[in-house]
Amino acid sequence: MEITVAIDAMGGDHGAHVTVPAALEILRRDPDVNIVLVGLVEVIEAELRAHRAAVSSRLRIHPASEVVTMDDQPALALRSKKDSSMRVAVNLVKSGEANACVSAGNTGALMAISRFVLKMLPGIERPAIASVLPTLNGHTHVLDLGANVDCSAEHLLQFGIMGAMLVAAVDHKERPSVGLLNIGEEDIKGNEVVKRAAELLRASGLNFYGNVEGNDIYKGTTDVVVCDGFVGNVALKASEGLAKMIGELLKQEFKRNLLTKLAGLMATPVMNAFKKRVDPRRYNGASLLGLRGIVVKSHGGADIFAYEHAIETAVEEVRNGVLRRITEQISLLHPEQGAA
Amino acid sequence: MEITVAIDAMGGDHGAHVTVPAALEILRRDPDVNIVLVGLVEVIEAELRAHRAAVSSRLRIHPASEVVTMDDQPALALRSKKDSSMRVAVNLVKSGEANACVSAGNTGALMAISRFVLKMLPGIERPAIASVLPTLNGHTHVLDLGANVDCSAEHLLQFGIMGAMLVAAVDHKERPSVGLLNIGEEDIKGNEVVKRAAELLRASGLNFYGNVEGNDIYKGTTDVVVCDGFVGNVALKASEGLAKMIGELLKQEFKRNLLTKLAGLMATPVMNAFKKRVDPRRYNGASLLGLRGIVVKSHGGADIFAYEHAIETAVEEVRNGVLRRITEQISLLHPEQGAA
């Protein structure tokens, strides 16, 4: 199966210095993949030359004259930068020239452009951002992580379906378990939207586990955790902040005196093994779900290794038909919409 | 200044085994404090005997024949257990026999009973649970952590005022900074409630910092972080889950082989110093704010050391007039209500 991925080569903190070598590595590793590098031709060509690479039947350059910056307002990026590398990469998905696109650019702009260009899948009202978080026994997929600040129960149901189908596709689990993030496990807990969402999920035919709490994310209680974008974003960023604080405090304690420095030296391999297990680079690549096309958002600060992972995520979603799965599952829910 | 604290001696996972020795330690340490131990007299007396202690002018027992369990529904605990140690302890605050009460029992029941018995302060519509979290440079106070699942902008404003006055009282900061938890720093971010709350906080006369994000909690960006109880509860529990996972994974890595075990042995003092800095026992004691009385909730699993900290929190709130401060600050906002 040939899979073509359009890469927003200019996006992210490091632009082509990261996106181009990551794309080259994927081409080397996965013979099914073709890449379209989208952006300023001279910049991309210079980066290819630096890696002694050149365009080929599997690697082509698609010009785009503008770049969306991290500070651009999403609406402005959408309206006024019609030849941005981000917009053109998404256009290639729309036209069918690419099966997916990857960008490390401005999340809000990528969401706005993707939604405008690709439109929503039938039966899905809102797109959601799904990401993978490490757990004690593996990983879990959480959505929404910030695309929607006010969600209805129906939106949360749709997120559940999209998340389950994503896991079915990329983790090859046929009946992934779905948890609804709440502030207690009992059915009576939570606000009205969440209570109603639990009813809808229970009736959906998904493998609905019930309510989960914040700590269940890292316990890995369910394969998918569903929440509104406000809650998901806060939980994710609080986790990032806590992890950073723990790392910083440990560093301080290991640097306290000669003895602790020696202990730190001894503990280095252990710490490295630990870091590898929770390395966020291994989880890079958030899926923008609910669109009529596959769009993966890389972290803006991603390095080459992390960006490769974002490309691989896009490839897996194409290979395992995540869009078809979502569409089919939604049509089971709304037969009339599926037929439309 | 004499301060009398009513202790729900039966509350929590360990009941009198924790509450009584913690109370004795506080009596020993702080000559201003008197304690009323509330609960089953024979149980309390047995625990006192075990510690070679006895009632005195500073320590008395107040009988209560029932105990609220962790599984009791709040409404049921309120209606049918009128002689519970929890209820009687709160009653002592209402009657003025105690200046504050502390309980490690069922949070929902404590909130329901406190609200019913004590009523709200003028100008405060909803009580909030405030807790302290460690940060890189100290600690920060976060509220609400789960008392309210649906908040209006006015509620968030009131939480801001209560949180600021709590910090003024217990941390002796006259103009504590207040951040509003959101999913981006820009004013345009967030849902409508949060946007409106930012306007109210900006006009409140508080030292309002503006929006903060999840990671700002652990950065210690502001002295107070305000959020609705759903978001706060999820963020707190996600943090607990992540901290637990990190601890577990580190333990696994240190146990991998002989060499890593040796490194673990060497690193033990460092790890202990680190644990001490983030020890949740040092932050035990959540304040139920907005009531006409001081109520502090200890973690159910608290040990003696942790429970002492909860009692100290209650004492500090009394000593530094947190209720008066909240009432005064609210009356600045609503002069008509303050005069009522």
Side-chain angles (χ1 to χ4, degrees), chain A residues 136 149-150 181 183 191 213-215 230 233-234 237-239 242 248-249 252-253 263 266 271 273 277-278, chain B residues 136 149-150 181 183 191 213-215 230 233-234 237-239 242 248-249 252-253 263 266 271 273 277-278:
Chain A
L136 259 180
V149 291
D150 286 303
L181 196 56
I183 62 167
N191 57 33
E213 299 190 69
N215 49 331
F230 195 103
N233 185 282
V234 167
K237 286 192 178 151
S239 299
L242 176 62
E248 187 56 44
L249 292 180
Q252 285 178 15
E253 290 301 331
M266 291 270 308
M271 288 297 173
R277 280 178 76 174
V278 294
Chain B
L136 259 180
V149 292
D150 285 303
L181 195 56
I183 62 169
N191 57 34
E213 298 189 69
N215 49 331
F230 194 103
N233 186 282
V234 167
K237 286 193 178 148
S239 298
L242 176 62
E248 187 56 44
L249 292 179
Q252 284 178 16
E253 290 302 330
M266 293 263 319
M271 287 299 173
R277 282 178 76 174
V278 293

Side-chain angles (χ1 to χ4, degrees), chain B residues 75-88:
Chain B
L76 208 73
L78 176 63
R79 272 200 308 271
S80 65
K81 289 191 173 172
K82 293 198 176 148
D83 199 40
S84 71
S85 56
M86 185 186 277
R87 174 74 171 262
V88 174

Side-chain angles (χ1 to χ4, degrees), chain A residues 44-61:
Chain A
I44 296 170
E45 280 178 341
E47 195 61 36
L48 284 175
R49 271 197 304 277
H51 289 87
R52 294 158 199 269
V55 294
S56 70
S57 62
R58 293 179 56 208
L59 174 67
R60 62 186 195 86
I61 298 174

Side-chain angles (χ1 to χ4, degrees), chain A residues 175-250:
Chain A
R175 296 268 296 155
S177 56
V178 177
L180 180 63
L181 196 56
N182 203 334
I183 62 167
E185 283 175 19
E186 306 83 7
D187 286 346
I188 54 148
K189 289 277 176 101
N191 57 33
E192 292 311 315
V193 169
V194 171
K195 281 185 211 168
R196 172 85 184 121
E199 288 170 21
L200 295 177
L201 282 161
R202 194 159 286 120
S204 69
L206 293 176
N207 179 12
F208 181 53
Y209 171 90
N211 290 331
V212 293
E213 299 190 69
N215 49 331
D216 287 301
I217 297 172
Y218 296 101
K219 267 197 210 162
T221 306
T222 55
D223 298 313
V224 178
V225 172
V226 171
C227 56
D228 84 33
F230 195 103
V231 172
N233 185 282
V234 167
L236 183 74
K237 286 192 178 151
S239 299
E240 285 173 2
L242 176 62
K244 214 166 173 174
M245 182 187 82
I246 290 175
E248 187 56 44
L249 292 180
L250 275 175

Side-chain angles (χ1 to χ4, degrees), chain B residues 164 175-179 201 204-210 222-223:
Chain B
R175 295 267 299 154
S177 55
V178 177
L201 282 161
S204 68
L206 292 175
N207 179 11
F208 180 54
Y209 172 90
T222 55
D223 298 312

Side-chain angles (χ1 to χ4, degrees), chain A residues 29 46 76 106 108 132 195 306:
Chain A
R29 208 190 296 157
L76 208 74
N106 184 326
V132 177
K195 281 185 211 168

